[in-house]
Amino acid sequence: MKKIFDEVSEKCSEITTKRYSTSFSLGIKLLDKNIHKPIYSIYGFVRVADEIVDSFHDYNKKELLQQFRNETQEAIKNKISLNPILNSFQNVVNQFNIEWEHIEHFLNSMENDLDKKEHDEKSYKLYIKGSAEAVGLMCLRVFCNNDFKLYDELKEYAISLGSVFQKVNFIRDISADYHHLKRVYFPNLEIENFNEEEKSKIENDIQKEFEAALIGIKKLPKSSKKGVFLAYSYYYSLFKKIKKTPANKVMTERLRVPDFIKLLILLKVELKSLLNII
């Protein structure tokens, strides 16, 4: 029975999510149980594509990514794939009417990582549109559960949230991206001259998007609001730590939020949810 294979496929996506991202996994736990599996499935898909371009250095990444793109299209069209990650993903795409354009934009950004090492303002915005904003819109389709009016109302906020998560990742990983992957994502940035002024410009842009995203989170259905707010709170805590850290130190180490702080954030989010003040 395909039902068993679908369950195995969903489990593969869940394992992938938990193995690669503890913070994201905790956020999913605070979502209603009926949307755990769809979000695991989206993250599993995104994670595999990201690993192709960032980790599979001994293989032909371009061929692998093209194969992954072709198999994704076939899976969605045929409503089945022998690749468990793609099988669980196509179920979500078909169930929640996720547009192909979001998937294509995401895969285009992953392909961009294979060759492009520096960005101008135009290519930077295009990259974020695919790598982060598109993923936020995929998740929003699930959160809105085919309520198309609500989706349209929250779309711009989801774009801001996806974008701000990506930008925080960029500045957190600025050293590793440059030294290990030879990438500089921020537009027209001379990485060797990264200083407090450049850092402050990036942080001001990020702060504005955090503020915009929070407005949308407060409008989310109850089933997803708490989990998304937890992810938002984790990232905002990391952002505050980055702001307090000198530019030269950001360039030499990867900052993170300690586990005990994450626990405190979790407790605060639970309390705010109980008091209905999210």
Side-chain angles (χ1 to χ4, degrees), residues 31-46:
L31 301 172
D32 272 11
K33 285 187 177 180
N34 65 327
I35 54 178
H36 284 191
K37 291 177 181 178
I39 299 301
Y40 282 138
S41 296
I42 291 172
Y43 186 86
F45 168 80
V46 167

Side-chain angles (χ1 to χ4, degrees), residues 3 5 35 56 69 76 85 102 177 211 225 228 253:
K3 182 176 182 294
F5 181 60
I35 54 178
F56 298 170
R69 182 193 292 265
I76 294 168
I85 295 291
H102 299 326
D177 284 339
E211 292 168 5
K225 185 186 295 184
V228 176
E253 64 179 84

Side-chain angles (χ1 to χ4, degrees), residues 205-246:
D205 175 51
I206 290 173
Q207 181 64 47
K208 290 175 185 176
E209 288 200 308
F210 265 118
E211 292 168 5
L214 184 58
I215 296 170
I217 290 172
K218 292 178 178 180
K219 295 181 179 184
L220 281 169
K222 187 178 179 180
S223 59
S224 57
K225 185 186 295 184
K226 185 165 62 170
V228 176
F229 183 62
L230 178 62
Y232 173 95
S233 300
Y234 281 153
Y235 268 85
Y236 196 66
S237 177
L238 175 59
F239 175 59
K240 288 192 293 184
K241 187 171 184 177
I242 290 169
K243 287 180 73 174
K244 293 176 182 177
T245 304

Side-chain angles (χ1 to χ4, degrees), residues 167-201:
K167 289 174 182 177
V168 171
N169 284 342
F170 282 163
I171 195 166
R172 177 197 63 190
D173 298 334
I174 192 168
S175 177
D177 284 339
Y178 178 63
H179 290 108
H180 301 300
L181 298 173
K182 307 303 179 186
R183 297 178 193 151
V184 179
Y185 287 104
F186 294 110
N188 306 313
L189 177 65
E190 294 181 11
I191 197 74
E192 298 292 356
N193 297 319
F194 184 64
N195 54 32
E196 296 303 327
E197 183 180 356
E198 293 291 344
K199 181 172 175 282
S200 182
K201 286 179 185 176

